[in-house]
Amino acid sequence: LKKHKVTVIGSGNWGSTVAKIVAENTRAHPELFHQEVQMWVYEETVTYGDKQDKLTNIINQHHENIKYLPNIKLPSNIVANPSLLDAVQGSSILIFNLPHQFINKICEQLKGNILPFARGVSCIKGVNVSDEGVALFSEWIGDGLGIYCGALSGANIASEIAAEKWCETTIAYDPPPMDPSRNPSRTATPRSTTPNRANDRASELSVTPLTGDRTELQHKDARGRASKTKLTPVPQEYHPLDHDTLWKLFHRPYFHVNMVSDVAGVSLGGALKNIVALAAGFVDGRGWGDNAKAAVMRIGLVEMVRFGKEFFGETVSGATFTEESAGVADLITSSMGGRNFRCAKKAVERGVSVQQIEETEMNGQKLQGTSTAAEVNSFLKQRGLENEYPLFTAVHNILEGKNSVDDIPDLMMKGRL
Ligand code: NAD
Ligand code: 13P
């Protein structure tokens, strides 16, 4: 059977770490994957010592991303590529790993320039809010590119994983079967190599034969609605792109993967916990100690579950938030040591805005919580639901200077938790 070529789109702190993980695994599973992993890099010139060079040259020569993941040796089978279209050429597995504010432009460039049967995995933590509502990046990428896209998220602070310190992650992947003729019942039952605790539902699909040897599959999106995306099946000559194959691409001895089907829960967990991590940073920066931090984490978790149930109720599973790495574990680690937490804490300690800290202290790394707080707030406000989500609302209002951290206890009392 034909092997899959893998491209990681993005090369920041997490993008480079995920490229390291998958490049180790393409070497470990040569029967399934081409060894070389393409990594698309947003090109920039980097100064190091008394030298200057393009970041792609530095990565390819020294096997280190000295700007976004310094002091970590990258496998030599990672090829840093400044050309997006060249990096994705011939790739059947696309791993999206960018700050969410940049994905729109990337998808515009990719449209029509990828393999029609490619499959995606989004490692992006954020949501896309528009007039139509709130969309998951996995869905949004899938609809935009006409492919199926799952989601990877977990308690995954990149620097720890890059140093190969053990952790867990969750991958949600629930496409219809690649090849309908291998599944005459036309019902996909996702397979897990580890127990699939959260919402392991079977997808239903209908199959529309096209002219020639192509077939399009209609499937359901994370809300349980018929998806706009008509999928091109992975050709039979390829290894199936199922839970087993993805597990082998991502699982490492130091990075334990649990495969599930709840794409909405996994994606929302990763996005919404960033708002809560900012709140944890605010109260910690104010010197209120661990009890206050635990209080905002509890309230935040309640709001995350409520949001999932309210807007993705058809498919989202509460268990994803409470039992998966992508839920409560990510909330905890992000509220103890994530960048959103650290920047919010410093901002309060120094009496400056979080954006100022991001600009001066992050060396080009991007926070996701500040824009997610604004996007979620605009979505809730439009629906008159700000009071139902007092913590999410308080975080946005603190970022906007409309409330102060000292208001948090009162604002939580007035909320309806
Ligand atoms: P990062 O914040 O470390 O780096 C920023 C990246 O954005 C760099 O690769 C930079 O080259 C790129 N960039 C800058 N301007 C750009 C532009 N105009 N167009 C395209 N790219 C541009 O990024 P990251 O940590 O890899 O984050 C990617 C995603 O991973 C985010 O959604 C984040 O929430 C998620 N995530 C991060 C971590 C972590 O610990 N870093 C862990 C889990 C998930
Ligand atoms: P930050 O972007 O706040 O560092 O969060 C990292 C993360 O998502 C850990 O799981």
Side-chain angles (χ1 to χ4, degrees), residues 215-258:
T215 306
E216 281 185 349
L217 309 177
Q218 180 70 54
H219 71 117
K220 288 188 173 181
D221 69 13
R223 292 177 181 80
R225 305 170 308 195
S227 167
K228 285 180 255 171
T229 308
K230 293 206 168 170
L231 299 173
T232 303
V234 175
Q236 294 205 9
E237 60 263 33
Y238 279 82
H239 280 279
L241 268 176
D242 56 11
H243 274 193
D244 286 344
T245 304
L246 282 189
W247 188 85
K248 284 179 179 138
L249 183 61
F250 287 98
H251 182 88
R252 296 295 299 155
Y254 60 88
F255 190 63
H256 282 196
V257 171
N258 190 42

Side-chain angles (χ1 to χ4, degrees), residues 355-377:
Q355 288 83 351
Q356 270 172 280
I357 300 288
E358 181 180 17
E359 272 159 35
T360 54
E361 309 260 325
M362 296 270 290
N363 194 28
Q365 293 187 36
K366 305 284 180 201
L367 295 183
Q368 305 286 268
T370 45
S371 44
T372 303
E375 286 153 3
V376 167
N377 182 261

Side-chain angles (χ1 to χ4, degrees), residues 12-15 42 97-98 102 125 156 158 339 365-366 368:
N13 194 235
W14 186 222
Y42 179 74
N97 204 327
L98 293 164
F102 303 129
K125 292 186 174 175
N156 296 151
R339 297 170 298 185
Q365 293 187 36
K366 305 284 180 201
Q368 305 286 268

